[in-house]
Amino acid sequence: MTIKSKIRAFKVQGGQEVVAEVVGTTEQMGSTVSIKMRRPHILQFQQQRDGSVGLVFIPWTLSNPDIRELDVPISAILFSFETSAQVEKQYLQQTSGIEIATAM
């Protein structure tokens, strides 16, 4: 599996869409067997108070949201893709606490 961007989205076996920073892979006999993900979060839509729908990121490991990195077996991943710039910006803001400026 070729990974071009550090922030990636993954559709996993349970149907969830996970957004994470990819920090590496584990190889065995020339094949990727797992992807090391940092700050994996599930991407979900949530209705806002004004009636609009917005994106929220929920820690993938609810029982221990402080887990920073996970090795996810490649067999658990259906496919991977680049996120949109807006999703990447929201993910970085929410997971790092840093407000990202927009170009004027």
Side-chain angles (χ1 to χ4, degrees), residues 42-93:
I42 300 167
L43 180 61
Q44 289 188 339
F45 289 107
Q46 183 177 53
Q47 189 156 2
Q48 307 297 311
R49 289 183 180 161
D50 65 2
S52 66
V53 176
L55 293 173
V56 295
F57 293 91
I58 300 167
W60 197 15
T61 54
L62 289 176
S63 63
N64 187 350
D66 295 329
I67 292 175
R68 290 300 208 194
E69 292 183 355
L70 293 173
D71 279 313
V72 179
I74 216 69
S75 61
I77 298 170
L78 299 174
F79 56 90
S80 171
F81 53 96
E82 291 182 25
T83 65
S84 70
Q86 181 64 25
V87 168
E88 183 172 344
K89 178 183 170 187
Q90 284 182 269
Y91 168 81
L92 289 170
Q93 285 180 179

Side-chain angles (χ1 to χ4, degrees), residues 7-9 17-21 39-41 43 57 83 87 91:
I7 306 297
R8 301 282 299 175
E17 190 168 315
V18 177
V19 178
E21 180 182 355
R39 297 187 308 250
H41 281 63
L43 180 61
F57 293 91
T83 65
V87 168
Y91 168 81

